[in-house]
Amino acid sequence: MNATDRTPADLLRSALAADPGRPLVTFYDDATGERVELSVATLANWVAKTANLLQGDLAAEPGDRLALLLPAHWQTAVWLLACSSTGVVADLGGDPAGADLVASGPDTLDAARACPGERVALALRPLGGRFPQPPQGFTDYAVEVPGQGDRFAPYAPVDPDAPALRVDGTELTAAQVVERARADAARRGLGPGSRLLSGLPYDTWEGVSAGLFAPLAGGGSVVLCRHLDRLGAEGLDKRRESERVTALAV
């Protein structure tokens, strides 16, 4: 990663320039058996499309707050980096009533309806599938995002010193997210080729760092596991071996 990177979006751009084909996020849902592997280039494409949706269709501006009511999931990682790309503050588990926008999974739609602004719903189905019936009052992410542009350019430069992330009661600027992520990567021994398996939820800094930011900052990748408790010790050992895991956060 470049020493000049000061936002998570910068980290992604550097990763894309260095090796677009390497895996970045490998996602498992042990409740459904889903496995998805996204290269740097594939994740960056999803991020660009989502950032275009945010900036264009949803008219989000730098400094707007987005309540992110989503679990540890590859699509949540996409939204975190899309927010960083646009200057929107990602508020993980935030109060929708006090947010400018909300992105909700299928289990939090009732709470998300309190948001006075734009509402986006994610079905979190395998392969990014859409809802069988779109939730009333919501934009179905899986319907709208495929048609967005594959390249993104913000209308205004993102300020690294502006608020970027709120998690578990702590608000961080983009530069602070990068600084903390680099420190966590060093502490965990993450570098190019490293593979961190994380079963932590995205409701604390430790969880979102292990599940995205630290591997990205260290030049490694993450094996992000939802419902890991259903796997069992033997299954976890097999996964660590099959995924060539070098570090663990559970």
Side-chain angles (χ1 to χ4, degrees):
M1 299 297 103
N2 293 330
T4 56
D5 292 339
R6 298 198 65 212
T7 73
D10 290 340
L11 293 175
L12 181 62
R13 281 190 288 270
S14 290
L16 189 63
D19 188 356
R22 70 173 176 84
L24 181 55
V25 176
T26 303
F27 173 73
Y28 282 89
D29 187 333
D30 288 300
T32 65
E34 178 185 4
R35 180 187 184 276
V36 176
E37 183 166 283
L38 296 98
S39 67
V40 176
T42 301
L43 188 74
N45 183 253
W46 276 92
V47 170
K49 287 178 175 292
T50 304
N52 279 314
L53 176 68
L54 266 173
Q55 181 175 261
D57 293 14
L58 303 178
E61 298 180 352
D64 282 353
R65 291 184 173 268
L66 183 142
L68 203 51
L69 308 185
L70 296 171
H73 193 280
W74 68 267
Q75 290 187 328
T76 315
V78 167
W79 274 86
L80 286 165
L81 293 169
C83 286
S84 175
S85 301
T86 56
V88 170
V89 182
D91 190 352
L92 280 162
D95 179 9
D100 300 291
L101 313 93
V102 64
S104 172
D107 299 332
T108 50
L109 294 174
D110 287 344
R113 287 189 172 91
C115 180
E118 296 284 355
R119 306 174 194 138
V120 182
L122 287 79
L124 302 181
R125 302 180 72 192
L127 304 177
R130 61 182 64 182
F131 285 91
Q133 290 291 333
Q136 187 173 3
F138 288 82
T139 296
D140 188 336
Y141 175 69
V143 172
E144 298 301 327
V145 79
Q148 301 294 325
D150 295 328
R151 296 181 181 275
F152 174 75
Y155 293 153
V158 174
D159 182 359
D161 296 316
L165 176 71
R166 183 175 177 83
V167 58
D168 196 23
T170 299
E171 188 162 286
L172 301 169
T173 67
Q176 287 172 328
V177 171
V178 171
E179 182 181 4
R180 283 193 173 199
R182 283 178 170 148
D184 287 352
R187 176 174 57 84
R188 293 185 180 276
L190 304 180
S194 61
R195 297 270 285 169
L196 172 61
L197 186 150
S198 176
L200 301 178
Y202 270 8
D203 57 1
T204 65
W205 167 256
E206 184 182 7
V208 75
S209 175
L212 175 63
F213 293 129
L216 179 59
S221 60
V222 62
V223 181
L224 182 63
C225 302
R226 189 181 182 202
H227 300 125
L228 188 62
D229 57 325
R230 305 192 184 191
L231 189 60
E234 184 178 349
L236 178 58
D237 288 340
K238 289 180 179 178
R239 181 165 300 165
R240 291 177 68 176
E241 181 180 357
S242 66
E243 294 290 352
R244 305 178 306 282
V245 170
T246 62
L248 201 62
V250 295

